[in-house]
Amino acid sequence: MKAFITTDTPVTDEVLNLIAYLPTKSLPKIVESGFFQKLTDRDFMRIGYLLAKKGYEEGGSPIGGVIIDNETRQILGKGHNTLVQENHPYNHGETSAARDAGRRDFSQTTMFTTLSPCDICTALIYSQQFNRLVVGDVTNFSGNEELLRQKGVRVDILEDPELITFFAKYMKEKPDQGLEDWKGVAAVRKAATAKGSK
């Protein structure tokens, strides 16, 4: 069976969107390995952004994650935040991508995340010994990058203005959902109580 996306296929938003939506396990049959070799960090972050948009369109928090093998540049796992969709308190973009990748040695992989990782995702990244983390937005949220560096993870910031604007729009639309995603339902309740006492 010939791959649908070949080494010669141009890197377009349409192709990256197709990759974002296809099941990860099907990618080796549909995408030639040479195509992944030519993808840049920005292209992988773009896939993360397209996954974040998918989460937003489903009514959830717009955060996407992509894990690649550092040598082959093959996508090993990808996912998006499903806090709302699955009623799951910590299935964030990063944890969803790691779950998709399955049980493996992450020490030779890179995690792309569209937003600075929360405490739970930070612990996942350093405890599973990811080699590298690339973050697409530290403007709207940041904080754990230095901790990850101290734990031996190479952290690169690759901010994307479109991604930053998109997440800021979401936070204006659904601030309580954003707070819940970052700090839990208790934080939303405490914020509402504090606001009501003013």
Side-chain angles (χ1 to χ4, degrees), residues 1-9 18 22 26-36 74:
M1 181 175 142
K2 188 172 173 5
F4 177 69
I5 299 170
T6 68
T7 304
D8 297 328
T9 302
L18 180 64
L22 285 170
S26 71
L27 292 178
K29 293 179 182 160
I30 297 170
V31 184
E32 280 183 352
S33 59
F35 182 82
F36 287 115
Q74 287 277 142

PDB file of all heavy atoms in Angstrom, residues 1-9 18 22 26-36 74:
ATOM      1  N   MET A   1       0.842  -1.188   0.000  1.00  0.00           N
ATOM      2  CA  MET A   1       0.000   0.000   0.000  1.00  0.00           C
ATOM      3  C   MET A   1       0.887   1.251   0.000  1.00  0.00           C
ATOM      4  O   MET A   1       1.764   1.394   0.846  1.00  0.00           O
ATOM      5  CB  MET A   1      -0.896  -0.028   1.243  1.00  0.00           C
ATOM      6  CG  MET A   1      -1.818   1.140   1.340  1.00  0.00           C
ATOM      7  SD  MET A   1      -2.924   0.934   2.763  1.00  0.00           S
ATOM      8  CE  MET A   1      -3.002   2.589   3.328  1.00  0.00           C
ATOM      9  N   LYS A   2       0.647   2.113  -0.941  1.00  0.00           N
ATOM     10  CA  LYS A   2       1.411   3.356  -1.046  1.00  0.00           C
ATOM     11  C   LYS A   2       0.879   4.386  -0.057  1.00  0.00           C
ATOM     12  O   LYS A   2      -0.322   4.510   0.136  1.00  0.00           O
ATOM     13  CB  LYS A   2       1.298   3.889  -2.475  1.00  0.00           C
ATOM     14  CG  LYS A   2       2.194   5.076  -2.754  1.00  0.00           C
ATOM     15  CD  LYS A   2       2.160   5.388  -4.226  1.00  0.00           C
ATOM     16  CE  LYS A   2       2.865   6.634  -4.655  1.00  0.00           C
ATOM     17  NZ  LYS A   2       3.608   7.411  -3.759  1.00  0.00           N
ATOM     18  N   ALA A   3       1.812   5.103   0.570  1.00  0.00           N
ATOM     19  CA  ALA A   3       1.421   6.141   1.520  1.00  0.00           C
ATOM     20  C   ALA A   3       0.657   7.250   0.802  1.00  0.00           C
ATOM     21  O   ALA A   3       0.961   7.588  -0.346  1.00  0.00           O
ATOM     22  CB  ALA A   3       2.650   6.710   2.207  1.00  0.00           C
ATOM     23  N   PHE A   4      -0.315   7.811   1.470  1.00  0.00           N
ATOM     24  CA  PHE A   4      -1.122   8.899   0.920  1.00  0.00           C
ATOM     25  C   PHE A   4      -0.344  10.210   0.952  1.00  0.00           C
ATOM     26  O   PHE A   4      -0.389  11.014   0.025  1.00  0.00           O
ATOM     27  CB  PHE A   4      -2.418   9.000   1.727  1.00  0.00           C
ATOM     28  CG  PHE A   4      -3.308  10.130   1.319  1.00  0.00           C
ATOM     29  CD1 PHE A   4      -3.966  10.121   0.094  1.00  0.00           C
ATOM     30  CD2 PHE A   4      -3.490  11.221   2.149  1.00  0.00           C
ATOM     31  CE1 PHE A   4      -4.783  11.175  -0.290  1.00  0.00           C
ATOM     32  CE2 PHE A   4      -4.312  12.276   1.789  1.00  0.00           C
ATOM     33  CZ  PHE A   4      -4.955  12.247   0.555  1.00  0.00           C
ATOM     34  N   ILE A   5       0.376  10.463   2.056  1.00  0.00           N
ATOM     35  CA  ILE A   5       1.206  11.665   2.194  1.00  0.00           C
ATOM     36  C   ILE A   5       2.651  11.223   1.994  1.00  0.00           C
ATOM     37  O   ILE A   5       3.185  10.448   2.786  1.00  0.00           O
ATOM     38  CB  ILE A   5       1.005  12.329   3.568  1.00  0.00           C
ATOM     39  CG1 ILE A   5      -0.455  12.752   3.748  1.00  0.00           C
ATOM     40  CG2 ILE A   5       1.935  13.523   3.734  1.00  0.00           C
ATOM     41  CD1 ILE A   5      -0.811  13.205   5.151  1.00  0.00           C
ATOM     42  N   THR A   6       3.268  11.700   0.915  1.00  0.00           N
ATOM     43  CA  THR A   6       4.626  11.278   0.568  1.00  0.00           C
ATOM     44  C   THR A   6       5.640  12.348   0.950  1.00  0.00           C
ATOM     45  O   THR A   6       5.281  13.464   1.340  1.00  0.00           O
ATOM     46  CB  THR A   6       4.723  11.000  -0.945  1.00  0.00           C
ATOM     47  OG1 THR A   6       4.593  12.246  -1.653  1.00  0.00           O
ATOM     48  CG2 THR A   6       3.664  10.019  -1.405  1.00  0.00           C
ATOM     49  N   THR A   7       6.897  11.998   0.772  1.00  0.00           N
ATOM     50  CA  THR A   7       7.981  12.946   1.038  1.00  0.00           C
ATOM     51  C   THR A   7       7.816  14.213   0.211  1.00  0.00           C
ATOM     52  O   THR A   7       8.159  15.310   0.655  1.00  0.00           O
ATOM     53  CB  THR A   7       9.340  12.281   0.737  1.00  0.00           C
ATOM     54  OG1 THR A   7       9.439  11.085   1.516  1.00  0.00           O
ATOM     55  CG2 THR A   7      10.501  13.193   1.077  1.00  0.00           C
ATOM     56  N   ASP A   8       7.263  14.079  -0.984  1.00  0.00           N
ATOM     57  CA  ASP A   8       7.097  15.221  -1.887  1.00  0.00           C
ATOM     58  C   ASP A   8       5.841  16.051  -1.617  1.00  0.00           C
ATOM     59  O   ASP A   8       5.674  17.119  -2.214  1.00  0.00           O
ATOM     60  CB  ASP A   8       7.069  14.738  -3.342  1.00  0.00           C
ATOM     61  CG  ASP A   8       8.375  14.085  -3.757  1.00  0.00           C
ATOM     62  OD1 ASP A   8       9.436  14.497  -3.240  1.00  0.00           O
ATOM     63  OD2 ASP A   8       8.329  13.153  -4.584  1.00  0.00           O
ATOM     64  N   THR A   9       4.979  15.584  -0.742  1.00  0.00           N
ATOM     65  CA  THR A   9       3.751  16.323  -0.439  1.00  0.00           C
ATOM     66  C   THR A   9       4.112  17.665   0.207  1.00  0.00           C
ATOM     67  O   THR A   9       4.899  17.699   1.159  1.00  0.00           O
ATOM     68  CB  THR A   9       2.842  15.511   0.520  1.00  0.00           C
ATOM     69  OG1 THR A   9       2.537  14.257  -0.093  1.00  0.00           O
ATOM     70  CG2 THR A   9       1.563  16.265   0.833  1.00  0.00           C
ATOM     71  N   LEU A  18      -5.011  17.173   8.554  1.00  0.00           N
ATOM     72  CA  LEU A  18      -5.301  15.757   8.334  1.00  0.00           C
ATOM     73  C   LEU A  18      -4.498  14.901   9.317  1.00  0.00           C
ATOM     74  O   LEU A  18      -5.037  13.989   9.950  1.00  0.00           O
ATOM     75  CB  LEU A  18      -4.974  15.372   6.891  1.00  0.00           C
ATOM     76  CG  LEU A  18      -5.213  13.923   6.497  1.00  0.00           C
ATOM     77  CD1 LEU A  18      -6.695  13.569   6.596  1.00  0.00           C
ATOM     78  CD2 LEU A  18      -4.703  13.679   5.084  1.00  0.00           C
ATOM     79  N   LEU A  22      -6.062  12.311  12.132  1.00  0.00           N
ATOM     80  CA  LEU A  22      -5.902  10.872  11.930  1.00  0.00           C
ATOM     81  C   LEU A  22      -5.440  10.184  13.217  1.00  0.00           C
ATOM     82  O   LEU A  22      -4.663  10.769  13.981  1.00  0.00           O
ATOM     83  CB  LEU A  22      -4.866  10.606  10.834  1.00  0.00           C
ATOM     84  CG  LEU A  22      -5.298  10.853   9.402  1.00  0.00           C
ATOM     85  CD1 LEU A  22      -4.086  10.782   8.476  1.00  0.00           C
ATOM     86  CD2 LEU A  22      -6.359   9.845   8.977  1.00  0.00           C
ATOM     87  N   SER A  26      -2.244   5.016  12.827  1.00  0.00           N
ATOM     88  CA  SER A  26      -2.386   4.860  11.374  1.00  0.00           C
ATOM     89  C   SER A  26      -1.362   5.685  10.596  1.00  0.00           C
ATOM     90  O   SER A  26      -1.185   5.468   9.396  1.00  0.00           O
ATOM     91  CB  SER A  26      -3.800   5.246  10.932  1.00  0.00           C
ATOM     92  OG  SER A  26      -3.988   6.644  11.037  1.00  0.00           O
ATOM     93  N   LEU A  27      -0.681   6.617  11.251  1.00  0.00           N
ATOM     94  CA  LEU A  27       0.217   7.528  10.530  1.00  0.00           C
ATOM     95  C   LEU A  27       1.336   6.818   9.762  1.00  0.00           C
ATOM     96  O   LEU A  27       1.618   7.200   8.617  1.00  0.00           O
ATOM     97  CB  LEU A  27       0.801   8.577  11.478  1.00  0.00           C
ATOM     98  CG  LEU A  27      -0.197   9.601  12.028  1.00  0.00           C
ATOM     99  CD1 LEU A  27       0.491  10.558  12.986  1.00  0.00           C
ATOM    100  CD2 LEU A  27      -0.897  10.359  10.914  1.00  0.00           C
ATOM    101  N   PRO A  28       1.993   5.782  10.323  1.00  0.00           N
ATOM    102  CA  PRO A  28       3.075   5.141   9.550  1.00  0.00           C
ATOM    103  C   PRO A  28       2.608   4.542   8.228  1.00  0.00           C
ATOM    104  O   PRO A  28       3.395   4.431   7.289  1.00  0.00           O
ATOM    105  CB  PRO A  28       3.579   4.046  10.499  1.00  0.00           C
ATOM    106  CG  PRO A  28       3.236   4.537  11.864  1.00  0.00           C
ATOM    107  CD  PRO A  28       1.933   5.266  11.695  1.00  0.00           C
ATOM    108  N   LYS A  29       1.342   4.167   8.106  1.00  0.00           N
ATOM    109  CA  LYS A  29       0.832   3.595   6.862  1.00  0.00           C
ATOM    110  C   LYS A  29       0.390   4.678   5.881  1.00  0.00           C
ATOM    111  O   LYS A  29       0.327   4.447   4.675  1.00  0.00           O
ATOM    112  CB  LYS A  29      -0.344   2.663   7.154  1.00  0.00           C
ATOM    113  CG  LYS A  29       0.065   1.424   7.910  1.00  0.00           C
ATOM    114  CD  LYS A  29      -1.108   0.551   8.209  1.00  0.00           C
ATOM    115  CE  LYS A  29      -0.628  -0.648   9.001  1.00  0.00           C
ATOM    116  NZ  LYS A  29      -1.647  -1.307   9.726  1.00  0.00           N
ATOM    117  N   ILE A  30       0.062   5.855   6.402  1.00  0.00           N
ATOM    118  CA  ILE A  30      -0.498   6.918   5.568  1.00  0.00           C
ATOM    119  C   ILE A  30       0.532   7.989   5.205  1.00  0.00           C
ATOM    120  O   ILE A  30       0.435   8.630   4.175  1.00  0.00           O
ATOM    121  CB  ILE A  30      -1.716   7.541   6.290  1.00  0.00           C
ATOM    122  CG1 ILE A  30      -2.807   6.466   6.449  1.00  0.00           C
ATOM    123  CG2 ILE A  30      -2.256   8.757   5.571  1.00  0.00           C
ATOM    124  CD1 ILE A  30      -3.942   6.855   7.339  1.00  0.00           C
ATOM    125  N   VAL A  31       1.547   8.158   6.073  1.00  0.00           N
ATOM    126  CA  VAL A  31       2.533   9.222   5.884  1.00  0.00           C
ATOM    127  C   VAL A  31       3.924   8.604   5.749  1.00  0.00           C
ATOM    128  O   VAL A  31       4.371   7.871   6.632  1.00  0.00           O
ATOM    129  CB  VAL A  31       2.513  10.206   7.078  1.00  0.00           C
ATOM    130  CG1 VAL A  31       3.475  11.358   6.840  1.00  0.00           C
ATOM    131  CG2 VAL A  31       1.107  10.718   7.353  1.00  0.00           C
ATOM    132  N   GLU A  32       4.606   8.904   4.654  1.00  0.00           N
ATOM    133  CA  GLU A  32       5.989   8.436   4.494  1.00  0.00           C
ATOM    134  C   GLU A  32       6.882   9.078   5.543  1.00  0.00           C
ATOM    135  O   GLU A  32       6.704  10.253   5.893  1.00  0.00           O
ATOM    136  CB  GLU A  32       6.514   8.795   3.102  1.00  0.00           C
ATOM    137  CG  GLU A  32       6.060   7.870   2.008  1.00  0.00           C
ATOM    138  CD  GLU A  32       6.657   8.217   0.651  1.00  0.00           C
ATOM    139  OE1 GLU A  32       7.325   9.262   0.494  1.00  0.00           O
ATOM    140  OE2 GLU A  32       6.429   7.426  -0.270  1.00  0.00           O
ATOM    141  N   SER A  33       7.861   8.316   5.993  1.00  0.00           N
ATOM    142  CA  SER A  33       8.757   8.827   7.032  1.00  0.00           C
ATOM    143  C   SER A  33       9.509  10.076   6.574  1.00  0.00           C
ATOM    144  O   SER A  33       9.800  10.960   7.376  1.00  0.00           O
ATOM    145  CB  SER A  33       9.735   7.748   7.480  1.00  0.00           C
ATOM    146  OG  SER A  33      10.506   7.300   6.389  1.00  0.00           O
ATOM    147  N   GLY A  34       9.792  10.184   5.292  1.00  0.00           N
ATOM    148  CA  GLY A  34      10.487  11.361   4.770  1.00  0.00           C
ATOM    149  C   GLY A  34       9.696  12.647   4.942  1.00  0.00           C
ATOM    150  O   GLY A  34      10.276  13.729   5.055  1.00  0.00           O
ATOM    151  N   PHE A  35       8.375  12.539   4.976  1.00  0.00           N
ATOM    152  CA  PHE A  35       7.553  13.730   5.190  1.00  0.00           C
ATOM    153  C   PHE A  35       7.789  14.285   6.591  1.00  0.00           C
ATOM    154  O   PHE A  35       7.946  15.490   6.772  1.00  0.00           O
ATOM    155  CB  PHE A  35       6.067  13.423   4.975  1.00  0.00           C
ATOM    156  CG  PHE A  35       5.179  14.634   5.146  1.00  0.00           C
ATOM    157  CD1 PHE A  35       5.005  15.535   4.109  1.00  0.00           C
ATOM    158  CD2 PHE A  35       4.537  14.883   6.358  1.00  0.00           C
ATOM    159  CE1 PHE A  35       4.213  16.668   4.267  1.00  0.00           C
ATOM    160  CE2 PHE A  35       3.738  16.005   6.522  1.00  0.00           C
ATOM    161  CZ  PHE A  35       3.575  16.906   5.475  1.00  0.00           C
ATOM    162  N   PHE A  36       7.827  13.389   7.580  1.00  0.00           N
ATOM    163  CA  PHE A  36       8.058  13.842   8.957  1.00  0.00           C
ATOM    164  C   PHE A  36       9.446  14.458   9.114  1.00  0.00           C
ATOM    165  O   PHE A  36       9.621  15.413   9.864  1.00  0.00           O
ATOM    166  CB  PHE A  36       7.881  12.697   9.950  1.00  0.00           C
ATOM    167  CG  PHE A  36       6.446  12.303  10.158  1.00  0.00           C
ATOM    168  CD1 PHE A  36       5.997  11.056   9.776  1.00  0.00           C
ATOM    169  CD2 PHE A  36       5.546  13.180  10.722  1.00  0.00           C
ATOM    170  CE1 PHE A  36       4.666  10.687   9.955  1.00  0.00           C
ATOM    171  CE2 PHE A  36       4.218  12.835  10.908  1.00  0.00           C
ATOM    172  CZ  PHE A  36       3.780  11.587  10.520  1.00  0.00           C
ATOM    173  N   GLN A  74       9.114  11.140  13.719  1.00  0.00           N
ATOM    174  CA  GLN A  74       7.785  10.521  13.646  1.00  0.00           C
ATOM    175  C   GLN A  74       6.947  10.988  14.831  1.00  0.00           C
ATOM    176  O   GLN A  74       7.464  11.121  15.943  1.00  0.00           O
ATOM    177  CB  GLN A  74       7.889   8.995  13.732  1.00  0.00           C
ATOM    178  CG  GLN A  74       8.430   8.307  12.527  1.00  0.00           C
ATOM    179  CD  GLN A  74       7.409   8.055  11.444  1.00  0.00           C
ATOM    180  OE1 GLN A  74       7.764   8.178  10.300  1.00  0.00           O
ATOM    181  NE2 GLN A  74       6.192   7.716  11.736  1.00  0.00           N
TER     182      GLN A  74
END
